[in-house]
Amino acid sequence: MGNRGMEELIPLVNKLQDAFSSIGQSCHLDLPQIAVVGGQSAGKSSVLENFVGRDFLPRGSGIVTRRPLILQLIFSKTEYAEFLHCKSKKFTDFDEVRQEIEAETDRVTGTNKGISPVPINLRVYSPHVLNLTLIDLPGITKVPVGDQPPDIEYQIKDMILQFISRESSLILAVTPANMDLANSDALKLAKEVDPQGLRTIGVITKLDLMDEGTDARDVLENKLLPLRRGYIGVVNRSQKDIEGKKDIRAALAAERKFFLSHPAYRHMADRMGTPHLQKTLNQQLTNHIRESLPALRSKLQSQLLSLEKEVEEYKNFRPDDPTRKTKALLQMVQQFGVDFEKRIEGSGDQVDTLELSGGARINRIFHERFPFELVKMEFDEKDLRREISYAIKNIHGVRTGLFTPDMAFEAIVKKQIVKLKEPSLKCVDLVVSELATVIKKCAEKLSSYPRLREETERIVTTYIREREGRTKDQILLLIDIEQSYINTNHEDFIGFANAQQRSTQLNKKRAIPNQVIRRGWLTINNISLMKGGSKEYWFVLTAESLSWYKDEEEKEKKYMLPLDNLKIRDVEKGFMSNKHVFAIFNTEQRNVYKDLRQIELACDSQEDVDSWKASFLRAGVYPEKDQAENEDGAQENTFSMDPQLERQVETIRNLVDSYVAIINKSIRDLMPKTIMHLMINNTKAFIHHELLAYLYSSADQSSLMEESADQAQRRDDMLRMYHALKEALNIIGDISTSTVSTPVPPPVDDTWLQSPSSHSPTPQRRPVSSVHPPGRPPAVRGPTPGPPMIPLPVGTATSSLPPPIPYRPGPQSVFANNDLFPAPPQIPSRPVRIPPGIPPGVPRRPPAAPSRPTIIRPAEPSLLD
């Protein structure tokens, strides 16, 4: 195509894309889109065509572009075009592309100059383009014609603003040279969305169509009505040239000839024309690419650092080396043992912060789940009294007993001890399950060698199952030992004398009254919807009360609930809720909180619920028994107690309660010790001392250390990724050194865009001189008076005008050299220098009516004509 600057950028972008593709990622450069904005028939489509270097857009007089054209340039090895509305067809002839654009425009807008905001999407695939988006927009018009709506001006402006408001879009504000620049709608719209002028470039078209004797030099030198990025003049093909099939290359040559031969432009011909516009836009693309490089470099370097350690291990890797296999086997078995011990005993490195694991979960089983299971199987008060009364009566037989029988106490105690077997065995099962999980977690590091991992898991799990049987036998033996002899001389046993005086309300073992058992967040789930529904509070559980506060600072207490007569019951989880709920209620059917018979407390997980239940147990709040009230009442009526029997039942009830508490305390202490000794510690010793021997006996070393295909692939991928990352970083470094960023031009006084009525200059015309006019300070607020050397038209800025060439004196030609290639644009109202002969501070006079003097040197044009 016709844009060499873009073609030079293509290899750089392709290198970046290839480097990122090699590491399986995409390089999101997000190059800016270029939108062309201007009045009707200003030459917008021609400017866009010249940038792309292809002739494919509809042309003509009046409003030709009546729908936005979104042109996506896509780099490809073959050159063709396709439309979004007919994807199946590929266009290789760009004359057909133009015809399809015209036909699609007419299909939506009609043939009578109607407009539509619905864009036409065209994709051009070519080996000569970057991945860019160009937007050709309808020209700004004020008077509706044909089928255009009355508010055509506002519709087109809204349409344009939608496309140019994006921060990454470059705006080409196109204005014809034969129009007053101060009234340019394109520049006004650009100013709205780009007040700093950082992404707006002025483009002056139709320089060859200006009236004879006028030129746009002051505008193109950015002195008359300055923009931050200045103006670029272009000469597009005329309608006659287009109809005569004049190609773009010939048009570019003619444009070059025009600027070199025109006396007002030849000194800046290298900064004018379509090639310079292409260069300016391409430099903006280069700047954008360079601005994207630091973020890309940082991303690649962080990935490279994360691979360094593993790659170092693989650099000298030889898969068939037997010494490597032996060393790897020893290291992995040793590491397996270390990891197992760390997970059980706890360690500061590689701490899981998301959930409990290993030893922490086993500790929870020992001190929360197991005590909770013991309480759950704890006897019901009515059942126990009934059993005691039956035992007393059955021991007395046909006789009426005068004394409380010892055998009734012993029979009831033995029956309660037997009940301990079920929760104790369940505790062992829970620990075995946790150990199996720990083994699987530790074996994950052996995944590089599937056979080794499989054998390790099998051997260790088999050993744990073997130890499980021995542990259960030992625990059952402990319970049988407790059952074999009832030691009524135990120091904690209350004895018969104390049992008769003890109140049944003392069966709860209270902790220290002010001791805080637990703090944490809980949600009260059943607050009335009228009061806000469920709400989260900070709860504090002590030995005597449950309090909740607004937050963890514990300054604003909401309520304090005494624990007397409270129990816990399970509540089913709601249909739409992911919370786990339990409830607290009063056994005497009293309201617990305000008008609520029970308060429902919600946690995020079942583990949290179990933990809170265990905390309530420590405070003496027990779970509700699963037994219907009517069954209790029915059985209650099957027997009656006389006062003597009731006293005997109460005595034995207190004795049983005291002795069972001793047994529970003993079992709660011995269970963790037994499981640790017979199962966990033995497993640790087995892994450290015997696992390696079992592995050697189960299979030969070569089969155990056979690497998995996934691991081999992972190693190859990692090494390839490592080298690809280094290559990508090198490419980014090459691009950084081979390209140069263009600094942003300094700000200029562009207030004329905000209020053009008060700052637009007086229209000026002059015949074209055969020489370059020398430099002068721009006159925006009117001419600067001074003693002219020859008569001049009134209103002409005379401060910098020298005489014609034959009479040019040296002092007045000083400014010519300064203006040919000006440095940063000057603010219009402040001249750089005051010419000789005009003393500083001479007052300016208002412009007078024009006269007809002899014209030797004309004034600068304002492009109003």
Side-chain angles (χ1 to χ4, degrees):
M1 294 178 109
N3 191 339
R4 290 188 59 190
M6 188 192 293
E7 293 180 17
E8 291 172 2
L9 281 177
I10 290 172
L12 300 180
V13 176
N14 285 350
K15 280 184 180 179
L16 270 180
Q17 299 283 12
D18 293 343
F20 275 81
S21 297
S22 65
I23 59 177
Q25 299 179 14
S26 58
C27 178
H28 298 293
L29 286 177
D30 191 22
L31 292 177
Q33 62 184 18
I34 300 171
V36 185
V37 183
Q40 186 174 301
S41 298
K44 302 181 301 302
S45 298
S46 298
V47 169
L48 204 57
E49 275 188 342
N50 290 344
F51 175 71
V52 177
R54 273 287 187 183
D55 185 5
F56 62 94
L57 294 176
R59 314 287 281 282
S61 59
I63 184 165
V64 178
T65 304
R66 291 180 285 134
R67 291 175 60 185
L69 175 70
I70 299 176
L71 172 61
Q72 291 178 277
L73 304 180
I74 300 173
F75 179 81
S76 174
K77 293 182 179 179
T78 57
E79 187 171 63
Y80 64 94
E82 67 178 16
F83 290 89
L84 191 63
H85 61 269
C86 50
K87 276 189 173 181
S88 56
K89 184 175 181 181
K90 293 185 178 181
F91 297 82
T92 54
D93 184 352
F94 281 82
D95 287 335
E96 293 183 12
V97 172
R98 183 187 303 108
Q99 295 167 10
E100 180 62 30
I101 293 174
E102 292 173 346
E104 178 64 14
T105 300
D106 291 342
R107 185 182 67 80
V108 174
T109 63
T111 57
N112 194 15
K113 302 188 182 303
I115 68 163
S116 171
V118 180
I120 298 173
N121 289 273
L122 170 63
R123 291 181 177 177
V124 175
Y125 298 82
S126 171
H128 308 294
V129 298
L130 285 173
N131 291 338
L132 274 179
T133 300
L134 310 176
I135 303 171
D136 188 18
L137 294 164
I140 303 168
T141 184
K142 298 181 184 295
V143 180
V145 297
D147 293 335
Q148 295 175 357
D151 60 343
I152 178 73
E153 178 184 0
Y154 301 104
Q155 285 195 23
I156 291 179
K157 285 184 178 179
D158 289 343
M159 189 189 311
I160 291 171
L161 289 172
Q162 287 178 9
F163 288 97
I164 66 175
S165 298
R166 182 183 173 193
E167 284 297 322
S168 63
S169 65
L170 295 176
I171 305 169
L172 297 186
V174 180
T175 307
N178 52 9
M179 171 189 171
D180 185 1
L181 192 65
N183 295 326
S184 170
D185 289 318
L187 290 172
K188 291 177 187 175
L189 286 175
K191 179 71 173 178
E192 283 185 34
V193 297
D194 181 30
Q196 301 297 322
L198 294 173
R199 51 191 181 92
T200 303
I201 299 173
V203 179
I204 306 298
T205 60
K206 303 187 179 182
L207 290 167
D208 54 332
L209 301 182
M210 294 185 71
D211 292 343
E212 186 176 354
T214 61
D215 61 48
R217 172 180 169 179
D218 279 359
V219 172
L220 295 176
E221 287 181 345
N222 207 31
K223 294 195 296 185
L224 186 60
L225 299 170
L227 285 178
R228 188 164 188 171
R229 291 195 179 274
Y231 298 88
I232 298 172
V234 297
V235 177
N236 297 325
R237 292 175 295 170
S238 66
Q239 193 63 31
K240 181 180 177 182
D241 294 335
I242 295 168
E243 292 171 358
K245 302 295 183 183
K246 184 177 183 179
D247 66 7
I248 288 181
R249 290 185 181 180
L252 293 177
E255 180 187 52
R256 176 77 174 160
K257 182 178 178 182
F258 171 81
F259 284 113
L260 288 173
S261 61
H262 198 289
Y265 308 133
R266 66 168 68 130
H267 68 286
M268 52 181 170
D270 58 330
R271 292 179 283 119
M272 294 292 114
T274 298
H276 184 67
L277 177 61
Q278 291 177 344
K279 179 182 177 182
T280 302
L281 292 176
N282 291 333
Q283 184 59 54
Q284 295 307 308
L285 301 181
T286 303
N287 287 356
H288 184 86
I289 293 171
R290 287 178 60 87
E291 288 167 5
S292 304
L293 294 183
L296 296 175
R297 180 187 286 111
S298 175
K299 179 181 178 182
L300 294 178
Q301 284 176 339
S302 63
Q303 291 179 328
L304 192 67
L305 287 174
S306 66
L307 293 178
E308 286 279 3
K309 186 176 180 181
E310 292 183 74
V311 167
E312 193 64 33
E313 179 184 339
Y314 291 137
K315 278 183 179 176
N316 302 317
F317 184 80
R318 296 193 304 274
D320 297 327
D321 185 1
T323 58
R324 182 199 63 82
K325 290 185 176 181
T326 303
K327 181 180 178 181
L329 177 61
L330 293 173
Q331 286 178 340
M332 288 190 168
V333 172
Q334 183 179 10
Q335 187 61 44
F336 179 81
V338 171
D339 289 346
F340 180 81
E341 189 162 352
K342 282 184 177 181
R343 285 184 176 273
I344 297 298
E345 301 294 340
S347 170
D349 58 339
Q350 300 178 355
V351 176
D352 189 347
T353 58
L354 300 177
E355 61 177 0
L356 294 179
S357 61
R361 293 179 70 91
I362 293 174
N363 177 71
R364 190 177 218 175
I365 292 170
F366 287 159
H367 302 296
E368 291 184 4
R369 289 295 300 276
F370 181 58
F372 186 68
E373 294 296 330
L374 290 180
V375 173
K376 278 172 65 177
M377 52 76 60
E378 198 174 66
F379 36 79
D380 183 83
E381 187 69 24
K382 293 178 181 178
D383 287 345
L384 180 60
R385 289 180 177 276
R386 188 183 306 112
E387 290 176 5
I388 294 173
S389 67
Y390 287 157
I392 293 173
K393 288 181 179 181
N394 289 332
I395 289 173
H396 289 313
V398 295
R399 296 181 301 277
T400 301
L402 299 177
F403 303 101
T404 304
D406 292 354
M407 295 177 63
F409 162 72
E410 193 167 324
I412 298 297
V413 166
K414 287 183 177 179
K415 187 175 181 181
Q416 298 304 320
I417 292 175
V418 170
K419 291 181 180 180
L420 294 174
K421 291 184 178 181
E422 183 181 348
S424 300
L425 296 179
K426 185 176 181 179
C427 179
V428 176
D429 291 336
L430 291 172
V431 172
V432 168
S433 176
E434 287 301 328
L435 287 177
T437 303
V438 171
I439 294 298
K440 286 186 179 297
K441 291 280 187 183
C442 295
E444 287 177 358
K445 291 188 177 180
L446 310 179
S447 57
S448 303
Y449 305 96
R451 182 74 191 280
L452 175 63
R453 176 179 180 174
E454 180 185 332
E455 285 298 310
T456 302
E457 285 189 24
R458 182 188 63 81
I459 292 170
V460 178
T461 304
T462 302
Y463 182 80
I464 289 174
R465 293 295 178 190
E466 177 189 330
R467 302 306 301 178
E468 176 191 3
R470 294 191 58 181
T471 305
K472 286 184 175 180
D473 290 343
Q474 182 65 29
I475 287 170
L476 292 176
L477 179 61
L478 287 175
I479 294 173
D480 290 341
I481 289 172
E482 292 287 353
Q483 194 179 12
S484 63
Y485 178 67
I486 307 302
N487 181 16
T488 54
N489 285 328
H490 194 282
E491 58 185 4
D492 294 331
F493 186 60
I494 60 173
F496 275 89
N498 293 329
Q500 292 173 349
Q501 301 172 3
R502 184 164 177 160
S503 170
T504 57
Q505 294 300 319
L506 297 178
N507 62 340
K508 291 183 180 179
K509 182 180 179 182
R510 289 289 188 182
I512 301 171
N514 295 326
Q515 179 188 5
V516 175
I517 296 174
R518 185 176 184 133
R519 287 183 171 94
W521 289 100
L522 283 173
T523 301
I524 299 182
N525 217 39
N526 59 332
I527 297 178
S528 170
L529 290 176
M530 297 295 292
K531 299 177 182 177
S534 61
K535 195 167 183 181
E536 196 171 28
Y537 293 102
W538 179 260
F539 279 75
V540 177
L541 175 64
T542 67
E544 292 187 342
S545 66
L546 176 67
S547 305
W548 54 93
Y549 299 81
K550 181 181 178 182
D551 51 40
E552 61 266 33
E553 293 182 3
E554 299 182 13
K555 292 181 180 178
E556 187 178 339
K557 183 183 285 189
K558 294 295 183 181
Y559 196 73
M560 185 180 76
L561 177 65
L563 299 183
D564 296 326
N565 301 318
L566 294 186
K567 282 199 173 184
I568 297 174
R569 64 160 61 110
D570 292 323
V571 178
E572 290 187 6
K573 189 165 65 170
F575 176 69
M576 298 295 292
S577 173
N578 57 357
K579 297 264 189 181
H580 298 262
V581 186
F582 67 99
I584 297 176
F585 67 99
N586 192 298
T587 55
E588 297 180 355
Q589 301 300 314
R590 294 178 182 174
N591 290 345
V592 177
Y593 174 58
K594 295 185 178 179
D595 58 346
L596 299 177
R597 285 298 179 92
Q598 67 177 24
I599 54 171
E600 297 178 2
L601 304 177
C603 303
D604 290 331
S605 67
Q606 186 60 43
E607 285 187 355
D608 289 339
V609 171
D610 293 340
S611 181
W612 271 101
K613 285 180 178 179
S615 299
F616 275 107
L617 287 180
R618 290 177 57 197
V621 180
Y622 293 90
E624 180 188 30
K625 299 302 175 182
D626 298 328
Q627 196 165 11
E629 292 287 340
N630 55 358
E631 291 182 7
D632 290 341
Q635 293 185 9
E636 187 76 25
N637 296 330
T638 59
F639 70 96
S640 60
M641 289 191 290
D642 58 39
Q644 183 180 356
L645 179 60
E646 190 172 346
R647 286 194 299 273
Q648 292 176 349
V649 168
E650 183 66 24
T651 301
I652 294 181
R653 164 70 182 83
N654 291 336
L655 291 172
V656 169
D657 188 27
S658 174
Y659 196 83
V660 168
I662 295 171
I663 300 298
N664 283 349
K665 182 178 179 181
S666 176
I667 292 295
R668 281 202 306 268
D669 181 57
L670 286 174
M671 274 289 296
K673 295 177 180 178
T674 305
I675 293 173
M676 283 297 297
H677 175 68
L678 293 177
M679 187 182 299
I680 297 176
N681 290 344
N682 271 276
T683 302
K684 285 194 291 187
F686 172 80
I687 291 172
H688 281 300
H689 302 124
E690 299 182 45
L691 176 59
L692 190 60
Y694 274 83
L695 286 171
Y696 273 119
S697 64
S698 65
D700 60 281
Q701 176 181 309
S702 58
S703 64
L704 280 175
M705 300 306 293
E706 186 175 341
E707 193 177 38
S708 67
D710 291 342
Q711 175 63 15
Q713 182 67 36
R714 179 175 177 274
R715 185 180 64 251
D716 294 341
D717 290 346
M718 187 176 295
L719 291 173
R720 184 168 61 251
M721 173 81 75
Y722 179 78
H723 293 302
L725 286 169
K726 295 192 75 172
E727 178 64 22
L729 284 170
N730 290 335
I731 289 172
I732 288 177
D734 292 343
I735 293 176
S736 297
T737 55
S738 63
T739 58
V740 179
S741 292
T742 302
V744 178
V748 298
D749 182 8
D750 57 0
T751 53
W752 60 274
L753 276 173
Q754 298 172 356
S755 52
S757 60
S758 61
H759 295 287
S760 58
T762 307
Q764 301 171 5
R765 293 174 177 270
R766 67 174 181 180
V768 179
S769 171
S770 60
V771 296
H772 308 290
R776 60 174 178 79
V780 175
R781 295 185 174 85
T784 303
M789 297 178 64
I790 55 174
L792 292 173
V794 177
T796 304
T798 61
S799 60
S800 62
L801 294 181
I805 289 297
Y807 310 102
R808 181 188 303 166
Q812 287 184 330
S813 65
V814 175
F815 301 101
N817 295 332
N818 294 341
D819 271 347
L820 288 178
F821 297 96
Q826 305 300 320
I827 298 176
S829 61
R830 299 180 61 185
V832 181
R833 297 174 59 185
I834 299 178
I838 303 177
V842 172
R844 299 176 183 269
R845 68 170 179 244
S851 60
R852 298 173 58 86
T854 304
I855 298 176
I856 304 257
R857 178 77 180 164
E860 301 293 335
S862 68
L863 301 183
L864 186 63
D865 299 325

